[in-house]
Amino acid sequence: MDQIEIARRGRDPVLREYNAMMKQIERGDPMHPREVQDMINDLVSEGYNTQAAALARANVNWDQ
């Protein structure tokens, strides 16, 4: 990946939201399944399939 691609991804709102969600998951913050699925759908629609798959595999503390 070249520097331009790295910079573009750093400004992409869906990736910023993904990174924030992954930090929440790592902290163990509870999440609603719909919230996670919406993010997966957004990532797929923007072409970020690797990130979508990583989120789908994440050990999420599901909100009860």
Side-chain angles (χ1 to χ4, degrees):
M1 186 177 327
D2 64 12
Q3 292 300 319
I4 294 171
E5 180 68 13
I6 292 170
R8 183 184 71 80
R9 287 186 176 201
R11 290 190 307 264
D12 194 330
V14 73
L15 284 182
R16 285 197 305 263
E17 291 177 35
Y18 162 77
N19 287 327
M21 182 174 281
M22 290 302 282
K23 287 178 184 175
Q24 287 178 294
I25 291 169
E26 289 170 5
R27 285 194 308 261
D29 295 348
M31 310 206 79
H32 190 277
R34 179 82 265 164
E35 183 180 9
V36 175
Q37 186 60 55
D38 288 345
M39 176 57 62
I40 291 170
N41 294 345
D42 290 346
L43 289 164
V44 169
S45 71
E46 294 292 326
Y48 296 113
N49 298 322
T50 301
Q51 289 83 353
L55 182 54
R57 290 188 309 270
N59 186 16
V60 179
N61 178 14
W62 299 115
D63 187 23
Q64 298 299 320

